[in-house]
Amino acid sequence: MSGAQLAPALLTWLQSHAQSLNQSADAAQQVLPQLVAAGLHRIGVPQALGGDGGEAIDAVDAIAHVAEHSLTCAFVLWSHRAFIDYLCVSDNPAARETWLPDLLQGRIAGATGLSNAMKFLSQLEPLQVEATPEGQDGWRVSGRLPWVTNLRSPFVVAAAVQTLQQPMPMVLAIDGRLDGVARSADLDLLALRASNTAAIQLDSVKVGPEAVLGRDGLSFLKRARPMFLSLQCGMSLGLARASLLAAEQVGSARDVLQPRIVRARAQLETLRETIRAGLESGRFVTDAPALFRVRLELAAVVQESVQLELQGSGGRAYLGDHLPDFGRRLQESAFIPVVTPSLTQLQGELSKLAGGAQ
């Protein structure tokens, strides 16, 4: 599970750009093309749909391999690959025909846009986008998506929308080139600044029937959630592995820390196996709390791993010109608890479920 799994050209690019991608948006336009050129977004996509085939866990591993070198790039890959999965699980062939070829060729960026929807699914907040009928099969969509990643032009963004005509929400794909779609400037992030993360305002955007990813939005979100969250877990797997490797390689304290490093590595592999088994069996569709717990445990291992790297490095970790990768990973690790659904939201959901079971 190392960078050796990545194409040499991509590995070299990641290693030479990791710091700048974290701190600046200057090279943001290069991120998705680099990932697409390496074919990482096609892993785990059925060959019948134009992908490279393989298992769902292979897609998680691809994100983990990238995260070992740059969480910014792993975040972008997560967004693009998650949108591709939306099309794979959609029951609307017209949506796949419209978007999937361009996404697989990298001609358009896939923006997940479902953070608000995943919170809605857990009854954490109301939907922020509404749709009204337009003509026989079309819709007018208005609202705001406050935090969306991979908004590299051109992009297509997924949004869960509420309608007055039906109690259940729908999930739509909205082309960023349509009239009424406005992208904000990049958000002022602490890190991951080359991830093309911004807000989107939708003002009476007209979409057709090909935009419908899921007419029954709740059913669609439950089908999409296992990969949405599992792919996120890939970011934690890769970041933790990188810190554990660094903890072994730097400092005279590594012998003292070795037992904790070994335990953390074993935890990572156990959690990866839980993800693999859950995706393969379909368990996570009906047992979302099991995946919530994996995400929480992985976040804890990330924090432990970064601390092990710090303790192994000692005071040199605070010298930016000595161990700059530690500073980057420290910033990257601060993102793991807050990416939607955040650890607080997951803990709240598990507490609520536990209370209901009593």
Side-chain angles (χ1 to χ4, degrees):
M1 298 296 178
S2 69
Q5 302 287 338
L6 298 175
L10 177 61
L11 178 58
T12 299
W13 189 83
L14 290 173
Q15 291 174 336
S16 61
H17 287 79
Q19 292 286 18
S20 62
L21 293 171
N22 190 55
Q23 298 169 355
S24 166
D26 291 348
Q29 294 300 98
Q30 300 177 40
V31 175
L32 185 61
Q34 289 287 338
L35 298 168
V36 167
L40 299 181
H41 65 306
R42 307 172 72 94
I43 295 172
V45 179
Q47 291 181 333
L49 297 180
D52 290 345
E55 304 299 325
I57 192 63
D58 298 332
V60 177
D61 286 339
I63 290 174
H65 296 326
V66 173
E68 290 180 36
H69 305 280
S70 168
L71 198 71
T72 301
C73 291
F75 191 32
V76 169
L77 180 57
W78 165 73
S79 178
H80 195 74
R81 182 60 180 82
F83 195 102
I84 288 172
D85 189 68
Y86 298 161
L87 294 171
C88 293
V89 302
S90 174
D91 52 12
N92 183 6
R96 276 192 294 279
E97 293 166 6
T98 300
W99 304 114
L100 193 53
D102 283 343
L103 287 161
L104 291 175
Q105 292 298 321
R107 292 190 290 261
I108 192 167
T112 55
L114 293 186
S115 293
N116 169 229
M118 293 299 176
K119 294 177 187 177
F120 170 82
L121 187 60
S122 296
Q123 300 179 324
L124 293 169
E125 69 180 28
L127 294 178
Q128 299 178 25
V129 183
E130 296 183 350
T132 56
E134 173 81 3
Q136 185 174 0
D137 296 312
W139 302 86
R140 289 279 182 181
V141 185
S142 296
R144 180 175 172 80
L145 301 171
W147 176 297
V148 187
T149 298
N150 199 28
L151 292 178
R152 180 185 188 276
S153 184
F155 64 83
V156 57
V157 61
V161 305
Q162 189 68 64
T163 71
L164 296 177
Q165 290 70 31
Q166 59 189 55
M168 294 296 102
M170 294 190 304
V171 178
L172 302 178
I174 301 171
D175 192 321
R177 295 165 290 194
L178 293 174
D179 291 340
V181 180
R183 179 199 191 279
S184 75
D186 284 357
L187 300 180
D188 187 16
L189 302 180
L190 178 67
L192 285 70
R193 297 184 70 96
S195 59
N196 274 305
T197 299
I200 296 178
Q201 186 69 38
L202 306 169
D203 183 12
S204 191
V205 180
K206 183 178 180 180
V207 299
E210 74 286 348
V212 178
L213 295 174
R215 190 167 291 275
D216 179 348
L218 292 181
S219 175
F220 174 85
L221 290 170
K222 288 178 180 177
R223 295 197 306 275
R225 181 165 54 186
M227 277 296 280
F228 178 95
L229 286 174
S230 294
L231 292 169
Q232 275 187 357
C233 288
M235 294 192 285
S236 294
L237 285 167
L239 179 54
R241 286 174 185 153
S243 277
L244 291 174
L245 179 62
E248 272 191 329
Q249 293 178 337
V250 298
S252 58
R254 62 178 176 268
D255 291 339
V256 176
L257 301 175
Q258 190 63 29
R260 291 169 61 190
I261 293 172
V262 170
R263 283 196 298 272
R265 280 215 177 100
Q267 280 183 276
L268 290 178
E269 294 315 306
T270 298
L271 291 167
R272 178 194 175 276
E273 175 57 24
T274 302
I275 295 169
R276 185 204 63 75
L279 289 173
E280 185 177 285
S281 67
R283 175 192 176 190
F284 293 148
V285 176
T286 55
D287 187 7
L291 186 51
F292 295 170
R293 285 188 282 270
V294 169
R295 170 86 195 282
L296 288 168
E297 289 181 48
L298 275 172
V301 180
V302 168
Q303 298 307 317
E304 167 74 356
S305 301
V306 172
Q307 285 300 309
L308 286 168
E309 181 179 2
L310 172 60
Q311 292 172 41
S313 304
R316 290 183 301 156
Y318 259 69
L319 299 173
D321 58 345
H322 280 61
L323 297 172
D325 285 340
F326 168 75
R328 172 176 56 80
R329 282 192 284 269
L330 182 62
Q331 284 188 319
E332 291 173 341
S333 72
F335 180 66
I336 297 299
V338 299
V339 61
T340 300
S342 72
L343 300 192
T344 302
Q345 290 157 1
L346 291 174
Q347 290 163 344
E349 182 71 5
L350 289 173
S351 295
K352 190 165 56 177
L353 291 170
Q358 293 177 356

